[in-house]
Amino acid sequence: MSNQSSWQQVALKRRLLLLILVIFPTLIATEFMANILPNKGFNPLELIIVLLFGILFGWISVGLWTAVVGFFLLVKNKKKDKDSFLKREKWGIQADTRVAVVMPVYCEKVERVCAGIEAIYKSIDEKGKLSIFDFFILSDSDNPDSQVDEEIGWANLCKKINGLGKIFYRIRKVRLKKKSGNIAEFCRRWAAYYKYLIVLDADSLMGAQTILRLVEIMESNPTIGLVQTVPKAMRASSLFSRIEQFSSHLLGSLFAAGIHYWQLGDGQYWGHNAIIRTEPFMKYCGLPKLSDSLPFGGEILSHDFVESALLRKSGYSVWLAYELEDSYEELPPTLLDELKRDRRWCQGNLQHLRLIFSKGLFIFNRFLFLNGVMAYGSAILWGGFLLLSTIESLIQVLIVPNYFPQGMSLFPSWPVFHADWAALLFMFTLLVLFLPKLLGVLLVVWANELEKYGGMKNLLKSVLLEILFSTMMAPLKALFHGTFILSALLGKKISWGKQIREGTEFSWKEGLYHFYPLTVTGMTLGIGTYLLNPPSFWWLLPIIFSFLLSIPLAVLSSRISLGSIAKEKGLFRVPVESAPSPVVETLEKALDQKAIYLERRLSLSGFRSAVVDPLVHALHLASIGLSKCKKESMEITSWKKQLIERSLHHGPDSLSTFEKKALLRDPSSLSLLHKKIWTADPPVWALWTKNIE
């Protein structure tokens, strides 16, 4: 890792190996597919079918070989009991090294944000390295209630763990470029004081041992620009998230090791749970606004892949620390929440089609951009393949074939569909898809971690149920991903709103509203194919079945009660539950005491609290500063006076969100309103304190 040219030579050889492993089986499978078809792929429709099959088979083959090499790499390292990536020689942290731990937030649960910071803070403090680190909560919240609650949470957090001067809170006045703009604004103002940045999400968690190793890796080699850890899922409660969490733990290390094997220093940045060298990041990773409009222009949305590519372009390597444990994140609790997140990512990844052709990028970074596009674009290809295959089968039923395509001949051409060959190819494709899960089970056995997964019996049950569930969910996700691609290509813009991370279920009514089109599609597809071509119906039955059951699948999997039942029965158990690390235990204890973070002098919340509660009022004024940034016009001053008078007589509910934000940002107006409420008659006081318990 210390010699860039050496790892680049190794990487080139490995990628050539991957190319061979993917291309040759794909060519064989594609030729097999062509021979299955009635016309051997010689008419335009069948040619497109064969081409789509080849692309898709090659795509899933990359995943297969990544899992295979990951399995052998992990077994090899375990057998040698040697940490191959994190070489320990010449490790150490210079005395003057400073690290900023930054957590961008947007309308998140304050209790979870503060508990996460507390757990990480205490973990580092126990190692005696707290002097190296400062913590920053970087808020982009545009909801006035969320903003005030964040300020209260920050103040109480600092009081609870003696974090004043070490834990800082700031809120942006202008929210531009979303998360990347939030980080960029921090870099312009404060990052120059820090050698490294550790970037977290609001649901992130990392132990001190992992954080300190990241710093040591950066210290040991100045050519490394970024090191990404592999976050494992935790704190899943619904049935859906528990199954996804189980899959993350079973396959996460496997695929991460394989990805590292192919990428080496050409790695990716996933936007959180990573350490970044500040100077080159600030110098080379500024993100311009692309010309034209969405889906290929505008502000860069999926910024993390682009930033890692820019670091590589500037000569710094990017690594995936697949062997580092104690790095965590949380998952969307329902299928609907996951699809909302996927829609945002899909639109961001589509921009990469344009960035693939940017000047100066390494070839492998261009491949990673294409890989990001295929994560969602493959849904369109799968849909096209199934649609054209269905059309082909219907043609064979409804249209009399031409037995003499080249004129009169003694030997007619007999179109023959080889159903037995198709079944064989289908089974081979399933093997490619499900072999990584088998390798995951073998890895658990090899590492003697069966008890962490509830024992062999529960592990096998969980794997079989996960395969069934993912098989049922795959067509649903693919159809939605396809519609996301099409809507993005049509220029439909989406909002990047608040993320839902826990404690959410949705009703049968909501399930019907969101998923009834899939049910109708399943009924239409099933009846149509059964009447026109029964053999096609049986081939499409898994997809038809998935569409028909979309509503109960989505609704029932969102249930926290079903997730609890599965947990009680030992299903989908993962190591972070059965053997939690100290930082996870600290987080859970902090969340058990979460009321401390939002303690107030009066039992008010949000905007009301900042206006009425003297302590929260003073805290908010201190947070925003006591002087105005610029002179206001007479019209704006008059407007704010009207807001004050209206709110005095009609209460805070008479103000819009925009009007509340305007008052919160103006110390003079807020102070005047606070004074008038405390000196006003009781009826006015009652309007502002009606939610006191």
Side-chain angles (χ1 to χ4, degrees):
M1 191 170 64
S2 60
N3 189 325
Q4 284 214 34
S5 60
S6 63
W7 73 254
Q8 288 173 340
Q9 293 172 6
V10 173
L12 179 60
K13 295 177 181 178
R14 291 181 180 181
R15 292 163 195 171
L16 289 175
L17 173 63
L18 176 61
L19 200 61
I20 294 170
L21 291 173
V22 169
I23 286 180
F24 282 100
T26 300
L27 290 176
I28 294 171
T30 302
E31 183 179 3
F32 201 81
M33 180 68 193
N35 289 326
I36 288 173
L37 297 173
N39 296 293
K40 312 303 180 188
F42 286 113
N43 64 34
L45 179 60
E46 291 187 359
L47 182 61
I48 297 174
I49 292 174
V50 171
L51 180 62
L52 289 176
F53 176 82
I55 294 173
L56 291 168
F57 191 89
W59 160 251
I60 63 175
S61 295
V62 173
L64 171 67
W65 293 115
T66 298
V68 170
V69 299
F71 173 80
F72 285 108
L73 185 62
L74 290 173
V75 168
K76 175 184 175 183
N77 290 344
K78 182 74 175 178
K79 186 175 181 180
K80 291 185 176 181
D81 195 23
K82 181 180 179 182
D83 198 345
S84 62
F85 175 65
L86 306 174
K87 296 182 178 178
R88 298 179 179 274
E89 57 266 29
K90 298 182 180 179
W91 274 23
I93 301 176
Q94 297 180 18
D96 60 346
T97 295
R98 301 286 294 160
V99 182
V101 180
V102 299
M103 180 183 283
V105 300
Y106 174 66
C107 296
E108 301 283 352
K109 286 189 175 182
V110 174
E111 304 95 320
R112 174 61 182 86
V113 171
C114 293
I117 294 290
E118 178 182 341
I120 298 171
Y121 186 96
K122 287 183 175 179
S123 180
I124 295 175
D125 192 22
E126 289 172 0
K127 297 291 183 181
K129 298 291 185 179
L130 201 55
S131 61
I132 299 172
F133 299 90
D134 286 332
F135 297 79
F136 293 85
I137 302 172
L138 308 177
S139 176
D140 255 353
S141 300
D142 54 5
N143 182 294
D145 292 332
S146 296
Q147 177 183 343
V148 175
D149 285 345
E150 288 166 0
E151 292 168 351
I152 296 170
W154 163 74
N156 287 332
L157 171 64
C158 291
K159 180 181 177 181
K160 180 181 180 184
I161 61 176
N162 193 27
L164 283 174
K166 296 295 292 180
I167 304 174
F168 304 92
Y169 170 84
R170 86 90 175 92
I171 184 165
R172 280 204 295 173
K173 293 183 178 180
V174 181
R175 184 173 177 252
L176 296 175
K177 294 187 177 181
K178 304 177 178 65
K179 180 180 176 180
S180 64
N182 197 352
I183 297 292
E185 197 259 4
F186 172 81
C187 288
R188 287 192 297 270
R189 292 177 178 269
W190 297 288
Y193 297 103
Y194 300 93
K195 194 173 182 180
Y196 309 115
L197 304 177
I198 292 179
V199 181
L200 305 174
D201 266 355
D203 62 343
S204 294
L205 187 69
M206 296 176 70
Q209 187 68 19
T210 295
I211 290 175
L212 292 173
R213 286 192 179 188
L214 288 175
V215 177
E216 290 173 335
I217 291 170
M218 300 295 277
E219 292 279 86
S220 69
N221 195 323
T223 65
I224 298 177
L226 186 150
V227 180
Q228 173 69 60
T229 65
V230 183
K232 296 286 184 66
M234 67 171 184
R235 301 192 67 243
S237 56
S238 68
L239 180 62
F240 178 86
S241 59
R242 285 193 58 78
I243 295 174
E244 296 285 308
Q245 177 179 266
F246 173 77
S247 180
S248 164
H249 281 261
L250 184 69
L251 302 177
S253 298
L254 197 71
F255 279 104
I259 289 170
H260 164 79
Y261 185 85
W262 305 125
Q263 290 180 351
L264 292 181
D266 284 325
Q268 295 165 274
Y269 174 38
W270 297 335
H272 58 94
N273 293 51
I275 188 169
I276 304 172
R277 192 175 300 274
T278 306
E279 184 179 357
F281 184 76
M282 294 174 60
K283 186 175 181 180
Y284 299 111
C285 295
L287 300 178
K289 184 175 181 179
L290 302 176
S291 59
D292 302 324
S293 57
L294 292 172
F296 303 115
E299 302 291 352
I300 295 177
L301 301 178
S302 294
H303 58 92
D304 36 18
F305 279 26
V306 181
E307 288 162 346
S308 60
L310 291 175
L311 279 174
R312 283 296 298 121
K313 180 181 176 181
S314 63
Y316 289 84
S317 57
V318 177
W319 294 82
L320 178 63
Y322 71 96
E323 291 170 313
L324 280 183
E325 301 290 339
D326 230 12
S327 178
Y328 307 98
E329 64 177 346
E330 295 180 25
L331 299 174
T334 70
L335 173 61
L336 188 60
D337 293 312
E338 183 180 275
L339 290 173
K340 289 178 180 178
R341 182 195 66 180
D342 285 349
R343 187 173 184 181
R344 297 192 300 268
W345 289 358
C346 174
Q347 190 169 68
N349 286 10
L350 266 184
Q351 288 181 319
H352 295 170
L353 277 175
R354 175 177 178 176
L355 298 174
I356 287 173
F357 304 101
S358 300
K359 293 182 180 179
L361 296 182
F362 286 83
I363 293 178
F364 198 73
N365 289 117
R366 300 179 195 274
F367 168 77
L368 293 178
F369 282 151
L370 181 60
N371 187 63
V373 174
M374 279 295 293
Y376 299 98
S378 59
I380 293 287
L381 300 184
W382 278 114
F385 173 75
L386 292 172
L387 176 63
L388 295 179
S389 300
T390 303
I391 292 174
E392 170 69 12
S393 64
L394 292 176
I395 288 174
Q396 300 304 316
V397 173
L398 301 177
I399 299 177
V400 178
N402 181 7
Y403 297 104
F404 300 96
Q406 318 225 343
M408 296 302 294
S409 171
L410 294 175
F411 303 100
S413 175
W414 298 100
V416 178
F417 178 80
H418 296 280
D420 52 341
W421 292 9
L424 181 62
L425 184 60
F426 178 72
M427 296 302 295
F428 183 71
T429 305
L430 288 181
L431 176 64
V432 172
L433 289 171
F434 294 129
L435 183 59
K437 299 180 189 295
L438 174 60
L439 294 177
V441 173
L442 293 177
L443 190 62
V444 170
V445 175
W446 176 270
N448 293 321
E449 293 185 338
L450 279 174
E451 291 305 314
K452 294 181 180 180
Y453 287 87
M456 176 61 81
K457 185 178 179 180
N458 283 331
L459 174 62
L460 293 179
K461 284 182 181 179
S462 300
V463 170
L464 292 175
L465 289 173
E466 190 277 335
I467 289 174
L468 177 62
F469 183 77
S470 61
T471 301
M472 295 295 291
M473 283 291 181
L476 306 182
K477 293 180 181 180
L479 184 61
F480 274 101
H481 290 170
T483 58
F484 297 161
I485 291 280
L486 293 177
S487 62
L489 292 175
L490 292 174
K492 188 173 181 180
K493 188 177 180 180
I494 61 168
S495 61
W496 287 49
K498 175 184 176 182
Q499 293 194 56
I500 305 299
R501 306 185 191 275
E502 61 176 334
T504 302
E505 297 180 351
F506 56 94
S507 64
W508 287 99
K509 183 178 179 181
E510 291 174 306
L512 179 64
Y513 175 79
H514 288 287
F515 295 98
Y516 83 89
L518 273 73
T519 305
V520 174
T521 301
M523 292 176 62
T524 304
L525 182 63
I527 295 172
T529 53
Y530 185 79
L531 293 177
L532 295 174
N533 189 3
S536 295
F537 170 80
W538 297 111
W539 278 106
L540 295 175
L541 187 59
I543 297 173
I544 295 169
F545 202 53
S546 173
F547 289 170
L548 290 175
L549 293 179
S550 58
I551 295 174
L553 273 174
V555 173
L556 293 176
S557 67
S558 76
R559 295 289 184 258
I560 295 175
S561 58
L562 294 181
S564 299
I565 291 173
K567 185 176 182 179
E568 291 172 2
K569 293 183 177 297
L571 297 175
F572 312 118
R573 184 176 296 179
V574 292
V576 72
E577 294 174 334
S578 53
S581 66
V583 72
V584 175
E585 292 179 333
T586 303
L587 173 69
E588 295 297 343
K589 290 178 182 177
L591 287 172
D592 288 340
Q593 305 170 342
K594 61 185 179 182
I596 294 175
Y597 301 124
L598 292 177
E599 280 186 348
R600 302 167 175 84
R601 186 172 178 178
L602 300 176
S603 298
L604 295 168
S605 62
F607 176 73
R608 291 172 186 266
S609 182
V611 175
V612 178
D613 192 319
L615 185 61
V616 179
H617 178 73
L619 171 65
H620 178 72
L621 292 181
S623 298
I624 64 174
L626 296 178
S627 61
K628 294 182 179 179
C629 296
K630 60 181 180 180
K631 188 175 181 179
E632 292 179 341
S633 66
M634 293 293 294
E635 290 82 359
I636 294 178
T637 301
S638 175
W639 173 65
K640 289 183 179 178
K641 288 181 179 178
Q642 294 174 13
L643 295 183
I644 292 173
E645 292 302 317
R646 190 206 310 162
S647 63
L648 280 172
H649 292 92
H650 301 287
D653 294 337
S654 66
L655 300 176
S656 68
T657 298
F658 177 79
E659 291 167 341
K660 291 178 181 178
K661 288 163 64 177
L663 292 177
L664 283 177
R665 292 173 179 172
D666 184 355
S668 299
S669 297
L670 195 68
S671 297
L672 180 60
L673 180 57
H674 175 75
K675 181 178 179 180
K676 287 192 173 187
I677 288 174
W678 275 92
T679 57
D681 294 330
V684 176
W685 172 264
L687 284 172
W688 280 86
T689 59
K690 64 182 180 181
N691 68 334
I692 289 183
E693 296 175 356

